[in-house]
Amino acid sequence: MHHFQYKQDELYCEDVPVRRIAEEIGTPCYIYSLATLRHHFLTFDSAFTDARHLTCYSAKANSNIAILKLFGSMGGGVDIVSGGELYRALKAQVPSNRIVYSGVGKTVEEIDFALREKILMFNIESTQELEQINRRAEAMNTRAAVSVRVNPDIDPNTHPYISTGMKRNKFGISTDIVMQAFEDAKNLKNVDMIGLDCHIGSQLTDVTPFVDALKRLRALIERLRQRGADIRYLDLGGGLGIVYDQEAPPQPHEYARALLRELQDINCTLIFEPGRVIVGNAGIFVTRVLYTKRTPVKNFVITDGGMNDLIRPSLYGSYHYVQPVARNLQETEIVDVVGPICESGDFLARDRDLPLSSQGDYLAVMSAGAYGFSMSSNYNSRRRAPEVLVTGGDYFVIRRRETWEDLVGSETLPDFLEGGLQ
Ligand code: LLP
């Protein structure tokens, strides 16, 4: 469910014509619907009302501080993977005791920052990291709450780049050494081992891998408790898929029902780290047709948005539905929608049957709210696009378009080049 619909033949975000935003703010741009964001967060969170739980929105999916602030004010926490995301979450006034920190490569600087801010817990991904956190906590005369991220060796049946819970993946600690890690942690004086965590992958369209992973974690919790561990939290990560094309992912209530069935009497606070399912279909990417070009083998629609703005098609071969902002139900043609970047891998859609496009038309690339702007870059020295939040009949720019000055603002010329080489 989302709030991007045609009224007559104009695409609207809630009550605002997408064309109006495109004309006033310029393209390319990202547009998010507040009503959709709220609806998705509530739908997910309320699916677990029967269980003690905390929904920690995964900031990496879309880390704009307005979005973080929205979910924080709806009672959510945040799942972070870097000091930068911690900084954002705090800027958005998310209480630090609702922040969980995953990631295989936390630096000392980042660990210290998180310790200072007293986050809810670290999800540790190696025994060396655990020792490092213990040392830093000791140096800072504090204690760190720790969950162990387990690698349950489950195939989530998704794109290999976003599968994270298989033995060959870099994430988590394999089940056979989790017991030992808890045993060894008894000698670490500044960590409290309070939970288990797992995240097996993203864009999962079936509940079975989630349930299989949960069963492994549940068995581990029982063994750990028998050995005296005080497991109070179980973090099941994110990963629930959305509809981009023809997928039929479980609805949050179906996902919740399948998990809760396995969680009877677990006596843990549950943590979830959903990203995509909350923001994915709450955002679109809007781009303008610069040129059309016909060749004997392909028809190209060349747009002002490219792989630096939305890299998912290029990086994962992902499908995003593309539709015109002004619908004209006439002739269609098979086209590649491509950007202006100097790479043949720069495409938004390939071999799509789209209504004939003309110069100046706007196209909406759907389901771009997750891993869209947050993965964008300045490649080809392109300014990153603005982000707009719509609510009812109003819209707000929550991130302005970068300027050319922004592009070079943090660069410096070394003295020896100031006057040119002698
Ligand atoms: N928790 C952890 C530890 C994660 O690594 C992730 C995503 C999530 C939660 C949130 O997963 P979600 O609910 O959004 O599936 N850039 C890729 C997706 C990368 C996901 C990385 N980790 C894409 O565009 O498909």
Side-chain angles (χ1 to χ4, degrees):
M1 201 286 282
H2 61 70
H3 295 78
F4 297 94
Q5 307 296 343
Y6 286 102
K7 295 187 189 170
Q8 273 84 47
D9 283 328
E10 271 297 304
L11 185 65
Y12 275 67
C13 175
E14 302 193 20
D15 299 326
V16 182
V18 168
R19 166 186 295 281
R20 197 179 118 209
I21 300 175
E23 282 169 356
E24 291 175 7
I25 304 299
T27 52
C29 66
Y30 278 93
I31 301 178
Y32 311 127
S33 154
L34 185 82
T36 313
L37 291 165
R38 286 171 57 98
H39 174 75
H40 286 174
F41 184 87
L42 276 176
T43 303
F44 187 95
D45 193 55
S46 60
F48 291 97
T49 4
D50 291 345
R52 195 165 73 235
H53 77 281
L54 179 62
T55 301
C56 290
Y57 164 69
S58 192
K60 64 179 79 63
N62 186 326
S63 52
N64 188 292
I65 56 173
I67 306 264
L68 300 182
K69 172 91 190 181
L70 169 69
F71 299 141
S73 62
M74 293 176 75
V78 173
D79 153 50
I80 60 164
V81 288
S82 70
E85 287 186 351
L86 175 55
Y87 184 81
R88 285 179 172 279
L90 296 171
K91 264 264 173 248
Q93 295 161 314
V94 176
S96 61
N97 64 0
R98 286 196 228 142
I99 297 177
V100 296
Y101 189 177
S102 311
V104 291
K106 305 178 184 80
T107 65
V108 164
E109 183 193 20
E110 291 175 317
I111 292 169
D112 288 1
F113 183 18
L115 285 170
R116 253 193 330 273
E117 296 297 336
K118 303 200 183 312
I119 62 165
L120 178 59
M121 72 182 78
F122 292 87
N123 290 330
I124 62 116
E125 309 224 13
S126 66
T127 46
Q128 286 188 3
E129 181 195 339
L130 178 61
E131 287 157 13
Q132 178 82 285
I133 290 173
N134 183 60
R135 277 195 298 277
R136 297 313 305 162
E138 188 179 353
M140 293 169 70
N141 199 20
T142 185
R143 305 188 64 76
V146 167
S147 263
V148 171
R149 176 164 175 184
V150 178
N151 181 325
D153 195 25
I154 301 269
D155 186 350
N157 299 318
T158 183
H159 191 283
Y161 290 6
I162 55 177
S163 300
T164 50
M166 296 167 75
K167 267 212 166 79
R168 62 166 175 264
N169 301 133
K170 67 180 174 179
F171 298 98
I173 295 185
S174 64
T175 43
D176 42 323
I177 58 170
V178 170
M179 301 301 294
Q180 193 55 44
F182 270 80
E183 217 38 54
D184 295 348
K186 289 182 179 159
N187 300 318
L188 304 176
K189 297 284 173 263
N190 291 73
V191 294
D192 297 316
M193 306 296 288
I194 57 165
L196 284 191
D197 161 52
C198 80
H199 169 79
I200 57 174
S202 196
Q203 183 56 14
L204 273 69
T205 50
D206 179 12
V207 287
T208 315
F210 289 117
V211 172
D212 291 347
L214 169 55
K215 284 183 176 155
R216 297 204 177 164
L217 264 73
R218 178 144 202 176
L220 272 172
I221 290 180
E222 271 149 29
R223 286 172 63 202
L224 285 164
R225 281 180 172 156
Q226 277 158 17
R227 297 212 200 156
D230 181 18
I231 306 293
R232 284 172 266 154
Y233 290 92
L234 173 57
D235 181 339
L236 292 168
L240 190 55
I242 62 169
V243 178
Y244 286 101
D245 186 12
Q246 306 289 337
E247 306 89 338
Q251 294 296 307
H253 71 270
E254 294 164 328
Y255 165 78
R257 196 184 319 126
L259 295 184
L260 292 174
R261 205 179 294 136
E262 301 295 328
L263 284 163
Q264 308 282 330
D265 309 317
I266 187 83
N267 198 20
C268 281
T269 299
L270 304 176
I271 295 181
F272 298 98
E273 303 174 352
R276 189 189 316 264
V277 69
I278 310 277
V279 293
N281 282 319
I284 63 172
F285 176 62
V286 182
T287 182
R288 188 164 47 98
V289 176
L290 297 174
Y291 308 104
T292 59
K293 178 158 102 173
R294 288 203 155 77
T295 77
V297 289
K298 282 267 183 196
N299 296 324
F300 295 103
V301 172
I302 303 166
T303 62
D304 65 359
M307 67 186 280
N308 74 298
D309 301 299
L310 179 64
I311 201 175
R312 302 192 71 257
S314 307
L315 189 58
Y316 314 111
S318 305
Y319 178 96
H320 286 263
Y321 188 69
V322 176
Q323 57 188 3
V325 165
R327 193 159 56 176
N328 51 357
L329 296 173
Q330 21 152 303
E331 215 183 320
T332 64
E333 64 177 345
I334 309 281
V335 295
D336 278 14
V337 180
V338 299
I341 302 269
C342 299
E343 304 229 10
S344 293
D346 175 29
F347 56 86
L348 297 171
R350 274 175 152 172
D351 298 321
R352 280 310 158 77
D353 196 13
L354 280 182
L356 287 183
S357 295
S358 315
Q359 281 182 286
D361 286 353
Y362 294 113
L363 296 178
V365 182
M366 306 305 288
S367 316
Y371 308 106
F373 183 87
S374 66
M375 292 181 81
S376 68
S377 77
N378 293 119
Y379 187 41
N380 276 202
S381 286
R382 284 165 52 81
R383 297 166 295 172
R384 275 180 299 170
E387 296 174 282
V388 172
L389 182 60
V390 171
T391 173
D394 296 319
Y395 75 84
F396 301 86
V397 176
I398 56 172
R399 180 180 176 115
R400 63 163 172 79
R401 187 183 310 284
E402 285 179 338
T403 63
W404 284 328
E405 181 52 34
D406 288 333
L407 288 180
V408 294
S410 47
E411 298 175 20
T412 43
L413 284 175
D415 286 349
F416 74 92
L417 278 179
E418 274 287 359
L421 273 184
Q422 301 306 315

